[in-house]
Amino acid sequence: MKKKLVAILLTTAMVTTGLTGCGSSDSSSTSSTATDTASTSTSASTETSSTDASAGTDTAAIDTSEHVVITYMTTGGAPTNGATEEMLEQLNAILTEKVNAELSIYYIDWTDYLSVYNLTLAQMDGTVDLVGTASDWLDAWPNVKNGAFLELSEDMLKTYAPQTWASVPAENWDLCKYNGEIYLMPEDNYAQWTNHGYAYRLDWAKEAGLENGVHSWEDLTTYFKYVKEAYPDVIPWDSDGTQYAQMVSGWISSHSNYVSIDGLNAGAMWGGTKDDLYTVYSPYMTDTDSLVEYAKMMKEWDEIGVWKTDVLNNTASDNREDYKIGRVAAEQHHTQTWTDLCSHKPGYTIYEDDEDAETGFFYFGEETQNVVALSITHGAMAVSAASKNPERALMVYDLLRNDPDCYKLINYGIQGKQWDVNDEGLRIQPDTYNKDTDAITTNFWWGRNDDLEIKDATMNWDAIDKLYAEYDKIKINYPYGQFVADVDNIQSMINNISEIHTNYMKQISYGKYKGTAEEIVAEYQAALEAAGINEVTAELQRQFDELYK
Amino acid sequence: MAKKEKNYAVESSKVKIGVSDMIIRGIGYIFVTFYSVCCILPFLIIIGTSFTREEIIRAEGVQLIPKEATLKAYEMVCKSGAIWYSYALTITLTVVGTFVGLSIIAMTGYALQRKDFPFRNGISFFIYFTSLFQAGLAPYYLLMTQTYHLKDSYFAVLLPLLMSPWLIILMKNFVKSIPHEITESGKIDGAGDMKIFTALILPMLKPALATIGLFLALGYWNEWYQSSLFLSSKVTTVPLQYNLYKVVNEVQSLKNSVAGQFIQLSDIPTESLKMATAVMATGPIVFLYPFVQKYFIGGITVGAVKG
Amino acid sequence: MGKTKTKVAKPKSGLSFWQKVKRSRVLLLMCLPAVVFFCVFSYAPMPGIYVAFVKYNYRDGIFGSQFVGLKNFEFLVNSGKLFDLTRNTILYNVAFIILGNALAIFVAILLNEMRCKWFKKVSQTMMFLPYFISQVLVGVLVYNLLNYDYGFVNSILGKLGMEKWGPYSDASVWPVLLVIIHLWQKTGYNSVVYFAAIMGIDAEIIEAARVDGANGWQKIRYIILPGLKPTFIILLLFAVGGIVKGDFGLFYNVVGKNPLLYSTTDIIETYVYRATMTDFNFATASAVGLYQSIIGFCMVMVSNFVVKKIDPDYSLF
């Protein structure tokens, strides 16, 4: 009898869940209809776009009689001060006039952002239309593969996002394709450098006898040693124990021509070399001597006291803030962060306390001139496959990215309130600006555009431009943009390899290992091998051969 | 009944106190005092730190007594005024959820303990089974959002926390200590099952209701998980603990993710802000216990029925 | 079930199913809200466990996605750590269950013996406080207590002229530390259950024992402890069901991501969390959950069977 009861109730449950099944199939059917309408209307309007392909003003020919709300999903905490809404009001007035649509922003808080972001996409009920994504840190390709994003046909792009279509070169569109279809609209016209390195006190480096600043890992050792002795109150670098992967990959860039493949795992453990791009290897297996040397140097740093003894649990540290007020002597992050630290901004007391204070940047790969430009899909916009108004979403995106008024509103806010232009044509904050009440949050990292950017007056452009020019001389473009690895059969190995890498590299990078450097590196490599790193390398090589040969 | 308990208390103090009682009480006072201090100290440290300047926290760690007291963190917390709406929301959810949940749990617990209820084992198993197998995140999320359309609805927070197998079985267990004779005597008097439950059983269940009510209330007060799944940025007022969860976890989650290699946070919450938010989020609920405790009054007096 | 039926419901044994339903319709109605609740929130999503066996595609939905068999389980098995992780998780839970309940019972009995009302109120309120401190802050507090450079313990050791203690590089002390932290955080909460259960013990029996000259210890030994047995067994059976499910918040926030300590502190949840960080995937997570549920289910079935053999009154179902 008990069994019977359970059976009855289970059946009820199944029936109820039948609904779930229906729910999801419903939404997938809506999504496919959405695609259908998209393609039909596209074909209908191809003529218009072909007759007037050059201009982005032919939107009048498209039916926009129905007023729609386009929801744009981005990562980051939602603002609470009301300033963003005020900006959106102005923006929506323009958007309504031009394409009869308005924008609403859907924030994914950083806390648990990966699960909430992916769950929202899996919902597939039109909750979001435009989706900010990134191939290296926000699951762009996995979401393309599991059907979250809409295929953007050339016709669609030409018709509804004509300015974007025209401004992105064909070879860049190729990098946004999977199985021959475009899924992403890349942020490919925005200069930013996210290659990592160390920001340090150039004035102190000079005191330490490094006249030209820090240009190698050995220089860093000298620098840290000097800081420890000369400024006993300063912690050379109050690391929180999370930079291990950047440090070791930086070391490898500085000692070889390794170019890594993005988005496979956090350690970027596979790649080729600048001279031989398409032969896959993992330097973590081959460059043993270099790794041993690295392990020794990090042990030395630990003994010097570069970081706190319990660095691996030091989660409360806020090294970057401490750098600004002179309590630490270095910060490990990317060039973008350095551009901020080297600028004399309000609250950066190191520059007030000491006239000579200067912030230099030692970038990883400097010794070997091994710098790779950012992948253009580091920021990209996609359209949700479940969007009920994909055409209008594209039209809105096209304006946000290319229309000067919309662009300034979404990126900077209202002129005169959040920003203004000074005599030199640089962007400043008005005197009335109050960070607490006026700051806006849009996190529009998926379509910034250097043609419309207004430079920030507070930045130290002399230093920045100099470094950027240096990068431009030596950089190579990210070579693997077209490669979207098919990881179905190797993902479980990659996961375990990442975990081993993290475990050992934390110990090695902070000099916390027991035994000799040779022993720990050997142990690490043996563990990688057992987890199948060679199989993964071979599989990637096979996929490389298919794509590039 | 209250009178009788009072008598009991007086009587028990009259009975001569033996050596072993003295020892047990002695140990009791010492141990409980020690343990209580261990419990309150960290909380005082959190309060102390919430008044400490940020640079001092980073250099010297948390503080019991702030070196230079500052209210800055609290100004930040209260700045937008949103926190008071969160209070109102959390209190409403807690009161409504506890009341509704407790009623259902008590009814179910009683019915499942009735020895003449033929389906009691079946239903007990049906309920218990759900504590073993959960569907997992994705199916649950999709059901709640696509089928029940509970996204951005406070019901998505209120409903799932109404009861748990654990609380129902616990209630069933408490009911067990009420003798079956009471139900029988009610039946003889011609009362229906519902009448027996409300008139005879419920008054005897006070300690159980207090305990389970307390657990339910704590559950609602501490809730952040359902909120993090179902309340999107479109909902401006969120429960207190979800606010706290966001403030406390934001930096950690970002630093430990791949995004941390690229994104720089501006205005990251300071340690003192985290502590101040924690103090505010704990708030009045700590005073719930003394209030509940008055229902923990000694012993069910079966004699009242028997005699 | 048969046993109980013959014992108690003998007069009704000849009734058909529908007659039984009719007889107990009020009791059934009393259970109805709860049954509906669990149907709606627990059973309805359950078939979705199927996601653990597919390559989940959002457009096709869970049931339309491609079936891949046990592929989603591969990563855990291939890690070579499945056994270690499961063992760690189970051992910690066993320690938490045994010591946690023992301490909770101990505290509840002590509180019951006290006569000073305000002391009871104040102390019990204080004991509840740790329950409110979020795990992240617990991690911060523990770090401030124990860290090598400026931790509270080490600054005292330093003042006493003793050698500093570095628990963050010594894996062997963490099982003890974690158990202590767990007990500190949960005992106040758990003791309430036992405290309420003591309240449920017939006051007359206690009184009678006193009159018969039983001393305090005898009263505890022969009346209160046996009276707490059913509650203990229920708590135990529930805990057994979750024995392979670890307290992620505690381990992740207190131990953090310090590989020097993993050998003694890594549990299934923390490992899976770290390893799948860059491969966010609902299917893998569901597969791991299913593995834990199945082991928990077997454990509960066995323990419930044993309990039922010994005394059917105490079994869960």
Side-chain angles (χ1 to χ4, degrees):
Chain A
M1 204 271 308
K2 182 169 76 187
K3 269 182 200 156
K4 228 187 243 168
L5 185 69
V6 172
I8 291 169
L9 291 162
L10 272 175
T11 332
T12 338
M14 294 294 270
V15 172
T16 338
T17 332
L19 290 173
T20 349
C22 292
S24 50
S25 59
D26 262 356
S27 59
S28 61
S29 62
T30 32
S31 71
S32 57
T33 30
T35 331
D36 286 348
T37 38
S39 48
T40 41
S41 54
T42 318
S43 52
S45 48
T46 352
E47 299 146 47
T48 7
S49 58
S50 54
T51 46
D52 189 14
S54 59
T57 44
D58 65 353
T59 41
I62 300 160
D63 174 25
T64 56
S65 54
E66 193 197 347
H67 184 77
V68 296
V69 177
I70 297 299
T71 308
Y72 143 63
M73 174 156 82
T74 186
T75 49
T80 51
N81 57 12
T84 309
E85 285 77 3
E86 206 180 313
M87 176 278 292
L88 279 176
E89 224 167 86
Q90 292 204 10
L91 177 66
N92 285 335
I94 303 177
L95 291 177
T96 305
E97 191 203 316
K98 295 200 169 170
V99 294
N100 200 18
E102 58 182 285
L103 187 74
S104 130
I105 308 182
Y106 192 98
Y107 298 90
I108 302 290
D109 201 87
W110 284 120
T111 315
D112 304 328
Y113 71 95
L114 270 181
S115 69
V116 180
Y117 177 88
N118 282 296
L119 282 171
T120 309
L121 286 176
Q123 224 175 308
M124 294 296 258
D125 58 359
T127 306
V128 293
D129 300 289
L130 288 169
V131 182
T133 187
S135 58
D136 45 4
W137 64 274
L138 202 53
D139 286 355
W141 294 123
N143 277 318
V144 166
K145 287 183 207 163
N146 61 30
F149 298 150
L150 186 66
E151 300 82 354
L152 303 169
S153 67
E154 281 186 23
D155 285 341
M156 261 179 103
L157 286 166
K158 273 181 201 157
T159 315
Y160 302 109
Q163 299 188 62
T164 307
W165 172 254
S167 68
V168 176
E171 65 266 27
N172 285 357
W173 283 121
D174 282 345
L175 302 180
C176 299
K177 283 181 181 169
Y178 178 70
N179 281 345
E181 299 272 2
I182 296 172
Y183 287 90
L184 311 170
M185 296 176 278
E187 180 183 83
D188 66 339
N189 183 29
Y190 180 71
Q192 61 171 337
W193 288 93
T194 57
N195 58 326
H196 278 246
Y198 279 92
Y200 63 92
R201 289 287 294 268
L202 187 55
D203 49 326
W204 289 356
K206 285 176 183 161
E207 290 171 27
L210 302 162
E211 272 314 310
N212 299 319
V214 173
H215 293 286
S216 69
W217 287 80
E218 288 71 25
D219 288 354
L220 270 180
T221 311
T222 317
Y223 172 71
F224 284 140
K225 259 188 194 152
Y226 169 77
V227 169
K228 191 76 191 172
E229 279 160 22
Y231 300 92
D233 291 344
V234 170
I235 304 169
W237 172 38
D238 191 14
S239 168
D240 60 5
T242 58
Q243 292 87 359
Y244 57 94
Q246 288 309 325
M247 290 161 73
V248 69
S249 72
W251 173 272
I252 286 174
S253 304
S254 283
H255 293 87
S256 72
N257 280 327
Y258 175 64
V259 178
S260 67
I261 306 169
D262 277 351
L264 279 173
N265 73 349
M269 292 171 68
W270 292 272
T273 59
K274 263 159 81 174
D275 326 303
D276 183 8
L277 283 169
Y278 305 117
T279 304
V280 185
Y281 80 115
S282 175
Y284 298 93
M285 288 304 286
T286 56
D287 300 4
T288 311
D289 295 342
S290 176
L291 286 173
V292 169
E293 204 185 319
Y294 171 72
K296 283 180 181 157
M297 185 181 275
M298 293 306 117
K299 191 86 171 177
E300 191 186 346
W301 286 18
D302 186 42
E303 279 155 9
I304 294 172
V306 169
W307 39 67
K308 284 184 185 150
T309 314
D310 292 329
V311 56
L312 296 174
N313 287 80
N314 190 24
T315 51
S317 106
D318 191 346
N319 190 69
R320 198 167 305 154
E321 289 306 309
D322 278 342
Y323 183 86
K324 295 172 188 168
I325 55 172
R327 292 229 317 240
V328 300
E331 159 75 352
Q332 192 288 309
H333 208 255
H334 54 51
T335 309
Q336 251 358 53
T337 303
W338 166 76
T339 62
D340 177 66
L341 291 177
C342 76
S343 302
H344 297 216
K345 292 188 173 181
Y348 292 20
T349 55
I350 42 172
Y351 301 112
E352 292 154 27
D353 297 344
D354 183 353
E355 273 183 10
D356 300 329
E358 255 186 291
T359 300
F361 192 64
F362 160 63
Y363 56 91
F364 296 147
E366 184 169 351
E367 295 96 321
T368 45
Q369 305 280 289
N370 179 9
V371 173
V372 181
L374 193 58
S375 154
I376 58 159
T377 49
H378 169 64
M381 192 71 96
V383 177
S384 164
S387 168
K388 294 193 173 72
N389 300 293
E391 313 85 4
R392 215 74 71 80
L394 286 174
M395 290 160 91
V396 167
Y397 176 69
D398 206 37
L399 288 173
L400 294 180
R401 180 179 167 131
N402 301 300
D403 180 275
D405 295 330
C406 294
Y407 185 85
K408 283 169 199 162
L409 279 168
I410 189 109
N411 282 298
Y412 309 140
I414 300 166
Q415 185 165 12
K417 184 152 192 198
Q418 275 88 18
W419 64 285
D420 224 322
V421 181
N422 69 6
D423 303 337
E424 298 157 43
L426 296 176
R427 185 160 49 91
I428 50 162
Q429 283 171 351
D431 299 334
T432 53
Y433 180 80
N434 173 336
K435 202 180 76 184
D436 292 338
T437 53
D438 297 333
I440 62 161
T441 312
T442 57
N443 297 349
F444 192 73
W445 303 319
W446 341 94
R448 284 168 296 182
N449 182 350
D450 271 343
D451 298 344
L452 299 174
E453 276 288 318
I454 309 170
K455 279 186 169 182
D456 182 349
T458 58
M459 299 294 256
N460 186 352
W461 288 107
D462 294 341
I464 297 169
D465 288 339
K466 198 175 139 215
L467 184 65
Y468 280 12
E470 191 178 331
Y471 284 164
D472 281 330
K473 259 186 277 170
I474 59 173
K475 68 150 189 210
I476 60 164
N477 283 327
Y478 177 67
Y480 307 120
Q482 267 176 304
F483 178 66
V484 181
D486 172 15
V487 290
D488 284 355
N489 293 318
I490 47 175
Q491 187 65 58
S492 68
M493 282 187 251
I494 294 180
N495 288 346
N496 288 319
I497 288 166
S498 305
E499 168 58 16
I500 289 163
H501 181 67
T502 306
N503 278 354
Y504 281 93
M505 273 312 151
K506 278 197 165 185
Q507 302 179 43
I508 294 173
S509 295
Y510 290 99
K512 299 292 182 193
Y513 54 89
K514 297 189 176 72
T516 67
E518 285 83 1
E519 281 164 14
I520 192 79
V521 171
E523 200 184 317
Y524 160 74
Q525 289 177 335
L528 288 180
E529 204 170 336
I533 192 164
N534 294 334
E535 284 91 324
V536 176
T537 311
E539 171 63 20
L540 291 172
Q541 184 66 56
R542 194 188 60 75
Q543 296 186 20
F544 256 42
D545 292 346
E546 261 172 35
L547 183 69
Y548 294 112
K549 277 173 193 167
Chain B
M1 202 167 121
K3 204 177 162 196
K4 181 138 187 158
E5 272 146 23
K6 210 173 167 190
N7 282 341
Y8 159 65
V10 175
E11 261 173 273
S12 69
S13 60
K14 259 191 258 169
V15 175
K16 64 174 184 348
I17 295 168
V19 185
S20 73
D21 296 70
M22 296 287 280
I23 296 172
I24 291 168
R25 275 181 213 178
I27 295 174
Y29 280 104
I30 295 168
F31 180 81
V32 170
T33 308
F34 172 76
Y35 181 52
S36 304
V37 170
C38 290
C39 290
I40 189 117
L41 211 57
F43 206 75
L44 293 178
I45 291 175
I46 289 180
I47 295 176
T49 310
S50 68
F51 288 106
T52 309
R53 279 188 35 236
E54 192 57 23
E55 296 82 34
I56 297 179
I57 302 176
R58 283 213 299 274
E60 298 167 34
V62 296
Q63 310 276 311
L64 182 57
I65 300 150
K67 276 190 186 145
E68 296 165 63
T70 166
L71 281 171
K72 215 178 145 215
Y74 286 92
E75 281 165 18
M76 287 282 285
V77 177
C78 303
K79 188 178 63 189
S80 66
I83 184 118
W84 308 117
Y85 291 102
S86 289
Y87 262 113
L89 173 65
T90 300
I91 291 171
T92 312
L93 285 174
T94 306
V95 170
V96 173
T98 307
F99 182 76
V100 176
L102 195 54
S103 319
I104 300 177
I105 290 171
M107 276 196 309
T108 317
Y110 170 68
L112 291 182
Q113 190 52 43
R114 276 277 293 266
K115 296 200 164 137
D116 53 350
F117 181 36
F119 304 108
R120 64 195 196 108
N121 270 358
I123 296 179
S124 292
F125 182 80
F126 178 79
I127 291 173
Y128 176 69
F129 185 78
T130 62
S131 77
L132 292 176
F133 280 91
Q134 285 94 24
L137 182 57
Y140 176 65
Y141 180 86
L142 294 177
L143 185 77
M144 291 286 279
T145 53
Q146 292 183 339
T147 311
Y148 303 152
H149 298 290
L150 287 177
K151 182 106 191 190
D152 293 343
S153 158
Y154 291 131
F155 282 105
V157 181
L158 183 75
L159 297 178
L161 269 67
L162 276 178
M163 63 193 90
S164 69
W166 153 240
L167 292 178
I168 290 179
I169 304 288
L170 190 63
M171 179 57 92
K172 180 184 154 192
N173 182 55
F174 278 127
V175 177
K176 197 184 264 175
S177 62
I178 298 176
H180 193 62
E181 288 88 344
I182 293 178
T183 303
E184 291 298 328
S185 73
K187 273 190 176 171
I188 291 163
D189 293 348
D193 287 328
M194 200 64 198
K195 177 84 184 165
I196 294 173
F197 172 67
T198 50
L200 296 177
I201 306 294
L202 268 189
M204 303 190 75
L205 275 178
K206 271 184 194 163
L209 292 173
T211 313
I212 290 171
L214 179 72
F215 288 174
L216 274 173
L218 293 183
Y220 276 104
W221 195 272
N222 281 349
E223 142 47 51
W224 54 264
Y225 182 67
Q226 307 283 338
S227 308
S228 77
L229 289 179
F230 300 116
L231 301 184
S232 77
S233 64
K234 289 187 176 159
V235 179
T236 42
T237 304
V238 297
L240 276 177
Q241 293 283 341
Y242 178 44
N243 254 334
L244 172 67
Y245 178 74
K246 284 198 286 189
V247 168
V248 167
N249 285 284
E250 186 185 26
V251 185
Q252 276 298 306
S253 331
L254 188 58
K255 268 188 186 167
N256 286 323
S257 65
V258 198
Q261 294 173 14
F262 301 105
I263 307 297
Q264 329 159 24
L265 275 183
S266 53
D267 294 325
I268 60 175
T270 57
E271 288 297 303
S272 57
L273 181 68
K274 290 180 193 171
M275 301 291 180
T277 316
V279 173
M280 295 292 282
T282 310
I285 195 79
V286 290
F287 301 111
L288 182 67
Y289 190 75
F291 174 75
V292 166
Q293 206 194 27
K294 72 172 184 238
Y295 297 100
F296 290 134
I297 31 174
I300 296 170
T301 39
V302 182
V305 187
K306 280 180 186 161
Chain C
M1 179 180 160
K3 206 173 170 187
T4 353
K5 204 170 86 183
T6 43
K7 201 169 74 184
V8 194
K10 206 180 245 165
K12 291 173 190 168
S13 55
L15 299 177
S16 77
F17 178 74
W18 290 111
Q19 277 172 313
K20 280 191 213 159
V21 170
K22 212 178 157 193
R23 281 273 169 100
S24 49
R25 61 187 182 279
V26 179
L27 292 176
L28 273 175
L29 276 177
M30 286 169 93
C31 292
L32 187 67
V35 169
V36 170
F37 174 88
F38 288 106
C39 283
V40 168
F41 290 106
S42 300
Y43 283 100
M46 225 177 256
I49 284 185
Y50 181 64
V51 77
F53 303 96
V54 298
K55 184 178 172 212
Y56 183 28
N57 184 298
Y58 299 167
R59 268 188 228 191
D60 303 332
I62 292 173
F63 298 100
S65 294
Q66 187 198 346
F67 181 79
V68 294
L70 295 175
K71 196 164 207 170
N72 294 319
F73 295 81
E74 248 172 35
F75 124 83
L76 205 52
V77 180
N78 287 352
S79 71
K81 292 198 170 172
L82 186 57
F83 178 77
D84 285 356
L85 292 171
T86 309
R87 186 202 55 206
N88 274 3
T89 314
I90 291 179
L91 285 179
Y92 271 108
N93 277 328
V94 167
F96 290 168
I97 294 167
I98 294 174
L99 296 173
N101 279 300
L103 190 63
I105 291 174
F106 182 61
V107 168
I109 289 176
L110 289 182
L111 284 170
N112 184 53
E113 291 302 310
M114 290 178 182
R115 289 291 163 265
C116 179
K117 272 208 170 127
W118 70 264
F119 183 84
K120 263 207 255 194
K121 260 187 198 178
V122 171
S123 62
Q124 269 190 297
T125 305
M126 285 189 189
M127 284 182 204
F128 249 101
L129 286 175
Y131 181 77
F132 288 102
I133 302 179
S134 90
Q135 302 278 35
V136 182
L137 295 184
V138 172
V140 172
L141 291 171
V142 172
Y143 178 73
N144 275 281
L145 186 70
L146 298 179
N147 80 69
Y148 192 84
D149 294 319
Y150 61 88
F152 182 68
V153 171
N154 277 319
S155 61
I156 288 184
L157 288 177
K159 273 177 198 150
L160 295 175
M162 287 156 81
E163 203 181 323
K164 279 190 169 186
W165 181 47
Y168 284 104
S169 49
D170 178 6
S172 64
V173 299
W174 283 92
V176 178
L177 288 175
L178 284 165
V179 170
I180 291 174
I181 295 164
H182 173 89
L183 293 179
W184 166 75
Q185 208 173 13
K186 298 285 158 62
T187 300
Y189 185 90
N190 290 338
S191 66
V192 172
V193 181
Y194 286 110
F195 194 59
I198 293 176
M199 294 300 137
I201 295 172
D202 194 334
E204 284 202 345
I205 301 177
I206 299 179
E207 199 49 27
R210 275 197 175 272
V211 173
D212 290 348
N215 66 20
W217 165 243
Q218 286 165 329
K219 183 186 82 182
I220 292 169
R221 170 72 184 79
Y222 295 105
I223 298 171
I224 295 186
L225 284 181
L228 294 180
K229 207 163 98 186
T231 312
F232 174 70
I233 290 175
I234 298 274
L235 273 160
L236 193 68
L237 285 176
F238 260 89
V240 165
I243 199 143
V244 265
K245 291 175 187 163
D247 184 350
F248 175 76
L250 176 73
F251 285 79
Y252 182 69
N253 288 303
V254 174
V255 177
K257 301 176 83 182
N258 182 344
L260 301 177
L261 310 180
Y262 289 162
S263 61
T264 59
T265 62
D266 217 10
I267 57 170
I268 297 176
E269 274 80 359
T270 48
Y271 181 83
V272 170
Y273 178 80
R274 291 196 314 270
T276 58
M277 195 95 106
T278 44
D279 164 42
F280 188 83
N281 185 331
F282 298 112
T284 314
S286 285
V288 174
L290 190 57
Y291 163 75
Q292 293 174 311
S293 293
I294 288 170
I295 295 191
F297 181 73
C298 299
M299 300 278 242
V300 165
M301 283 303 161
V302 172
S303 359
N304 195 58
F305 178 77
V306 172
V307 170
K308 212 168 186 170
K309 275 270 141 109
I310 299 167
D311 188 342
D313 259 7
Y314 292 140
S315 68
L316 273 174
F317 40 82

